[in-house]
Amino acid sequence: MINNTKTIHDEKIKSLADKYVSEGFHVLIKPKTDELPFDLDNYQPDMIAIKNNSGLVIEVRTSLRRISVERLQALAEEVSTHPGWRFLLVTLEDIEAKSLPGTSEQLPSWQELTDRFDQAHKLIENDEIEPAFLFMWSIFEGVLRRRAIDESIPIERFPFIGLLRHLYSLGELSISQFDLAQACFEVRNRLAHGYIENLTLPVVHNFDNLVRELLAEWKVKLAISQFSSEDLAAFRAWFAEFDAAAWDKQQELRGNLIHKQSLLFALELLTGDLRNETLKKILNVNDEQVINIEFTVSLLSPEDLATFRAWFTEFDAATWDKQIEKDVAQQEILSSITDSPTLEPLTDLDSWTQSLIGVIQLGEENPTENYVDYLEEKYG
């Protein structure tokens, strides 16, 4: 049995490798540590596939059993820190897809999922219950798979029940959400296989609310995770004020956001430009995306707000830790170079560090990204 499993595993690797080669990838099977493009702490993938300055780190499993998704998530997060690279977990139980894993995204975007949700909701309003439920199910699976990709959880190709269980075990779903999804899965299976199902409106409404909650929550979390440092600081200050405010003050803050949204809409309508920083400063509004996220958070129920608060506290702390690590690393680089008699290492530094070196070594008030050339010309 072990030999048979190994044979199936090796055949899958060879089959995948041939397909990637046919798509123009350079493929290495079982690459050694020194053949990897970056350090993965002695991890050896089944293959790497490289094309156009980007690549895939691929692990192949014959079964979903005994897969440590937590370990693979950490690995996927590390790979994703290298621009153009992505980690893929491929199993023999993956759902069928037309594209080769990692070569193109076939999942709808968050906006497309939102648009589809609105369409499905209209079916519910028109009492077209069964079509609405089945349409909502496709949206639900898309939401789960999109969330897995956003969080570097390499399970987006898993069969539904494996996808659901792993997301629950990693804390992405609550126990009540998990139970409701399982119950709806049974209903979906009976309907999809042609059986008559006594589908009631409350069941559909409960499922509709579940999809609405996850869609809103995960869209907001993704948007916040992609904020610039300035936008994150603005949101942090707003949320601290809103979260600590009494009910009537929260209503006032929500009203302010509605007013700002109206101003931004008028600004775009009149000027066709939401990037006019002068006008935005006069109107006392910041980026539209930040205001929209603040408004979405302001509409959360007390229970959902508590859940969001816990997530944001953890996220914000992790963001601070990463920034501190980056600052320490930059300071170490800066110290090693300013103490060095040679300027050769400057060519490997980013513009931020080069500018600081310019300030320290030249006393310039307006450092630029051209300090390397300037220093080389001046000091030879």
Side-chain angles (χ1 to χ4, degrees):
M1 178 63 73
I2 294 177
N3 288 337
N4 186 46
T5 301
K6 185 178 185 307
T7 299
I8 295 173
H9 179 262
D10 292 344
E11 288 176 351
K12 181 64 175 179
I13 292 175
K14 185 179 185 307
S15 173
L16 269 178
D18 290 342
K19 290 177 181 178
Y20 280 111
V21 169
S22 70
E23 292 287 336
F25 284 81
H26 173 64
V27 175
L28 290 176
I29 296 178
K30 294 290 184 182
K32 298 177 181 177
T33 302
D34 58 1
E35 293 178 310
L36 295 175
F38 38 78
D39 181 29
L40 290 176
D41 194 23
N42 296 322
Y43 168 75
Q44 183 185 39
D46 288 306
M47 74 173 76
I48 59 173
I50 306 170
K51 182 181 180 181
N52 298 332
N53 297 319
S54 63
L56 302 167
V57 176
I58 303 170
E59 177 160 332
V60 176
R61 295 290 187 92
T62 56
S63 172
L64 300 184
R65 294 190 297 273
R66 295 187 297 277
I67 289 179
S68 173
V69 173
E70 292 88 347
R71 182 183 70 85
L72 295 179
Q73 182 182 16
L75 188 59
E77 289 174 346
E78 173 59 32
V79 172
S80 68
T81 63
H82 302 275
W85 282 85
R86 180 181 171 192
F87 177 84
L88 288 178
L89 172 62
V90 178
T91 81
L92 298 186
E93 300 178 43
D94 285 354
I95 57 172
E96 291 294 327
K98 291 182 179 179
S99 63
L100 195 57
T103 58
S104 65
E105 288 293 353
Q106 291 187 312
L107 289 173
S109 66
W110 284 111
Q111 186 56 54
E112 289 170 332
L113 288 167
T114 301
D115 293 341
R116 292 185 184 189
F117 176 83
D118 292 338
Q119 295 171 22
H121 194 70
K122 289 178 181 177
L123 290 175
I124 297 175
E125 293 173 348
N126 293 329
D127 290 331
E128 299 181 52
I129 300 200
E130 287 190 5
F133 184 86
L134 291 173
F135 188 17
M136 192 70 72
W137 186 267
S138 71
I139 298 165
F140 179 54
E141 282 206 32
V143 167
L144 296 185
R145 298 185 192 284
R146 175 58 60 186
R147 177 61 174 174
I149 290 176
D150 290 348
E151 290 300 294
S152 297
I153 308 172
I155 58 175
E156 73 275 6
R157 298 169 64 87
F158 279 19
F160 171 76
I161 199 65
L163 174 72
L164 181 70
R165 288 172 178 169
H166 280 298
L167 287 176
Y168 167 64
S169 70
L170 292 172
E172 295 293 333
L173 297 165
S174 68
I175 182 63
S176 60
Q177 291 171 331
F178 176 75
D179 288 342
L180 177 57
Q182 278 198 310
C184 289
F185 182 53
E186 295 174 4
V187 175
R188 174 263 177 198
N189 283 347
R190 289 192 289 270
L191 284 173
H193 294 307
Y195 291 95
I196 296 175
E197 176 66 25
N198 184 25
L199 188 59
T200 63
L201 197 56
V203 171
V204 177
H205 277 309
N206 287 338
F207 187 46
D208 174 77
N209 288 333
L210 171 63
V211 178
R212 183 196 305 276
E213 288 173 6
L214 294 178
L215 191 56
E217 175 188 346
W218 289 342
K219 278 181 62 179
V220 165
K221 288 181 177 179
L222 176 64
I224 292 175
S225 69
Q226 294 178 336
F227 276 171
S228 66
S229 57
E230 294 80 8
D231 287 345
L232 182 58
F235 177 81
R236 184 188 299 118
W238 172 86
F239 183 65
E241 180 182 8
F242 178 84
D243 196 35
W247 183 86
D248 55 343
K249 179 62 175 178
Q250 288 185 342
Q251 300 305 306
E252 179 185 339
L253 292 172
R254 187 180 299 117
N256 290 341
L257 292 171
I258 295 174
H259 178 62
K260 288 182 178 182
Q261 287 176 322
S262 300
L263 289 175
L264 283 170
F265 177 75
L267 176 61
E268 183 178 28
L269 192 64
L270 293 172
T271 69
D273 183 12
L274 276 174
R275 297 171 182 252
N276 191 316
E277 297 300 328
T278 301
L279 283 175
K280 285 163 67 175
K281 186 174 182 179
I282 293 172
L283 295 173
N284 191 29
V285 294
N286 51 6
D287 288 343
E288 181 183 26
Q289 186 182 34
V290 178
I291 292 174
N292 289 339
I293 293 301
E294 289 172 351
F295 183 67
T296 301
V297 172
S298 76
L299 296 176
L300 294 176
S301 68
E303 296 77 13
D304 291 340
L305 185 63
T307 301
F308 175 81
R309 182 190 305 115
W311 172 83
F312 184 69
T313 300
E314 182 178 349
F315 167 81
D316 204 29
T319 302
W320 275 108
D321 290 342
K322 289 179 182 178
Q323 185 60 49
I324 291 172
E325 290 175 3
K326 179 180 177 181
D327 291 345
V328 169
Q330 293 276 23
Q331 185 60 45
E332 289 177 350
I333 294 174
L334 184 60
S335 298
S336 66
I337 292 172
T338 53
D339 292 340
S340 171
T342 176
L343 295 173
E344 291 179 2
L346 288 174
T347 56
D348 293 329
L349 295 180
D350 59 26
S351 58
W352 180 87
T353 307
Q354 292 173 15
S355 298
L356 283 181
I357 293 172
V359 172
I360 293 172
Q361 295 187 331
L362 300 179
E364 300 246 354
E365 294 182 356
N366 299 303
T368 70
E369 296 183 8
N370 297 319
Y371 272 118
V372 176
D373 295 336
Y374 180 82
L375 291 173
E376 288 180 346
E377 289 177 6
K378 185 170 183 177
Y379 296 105

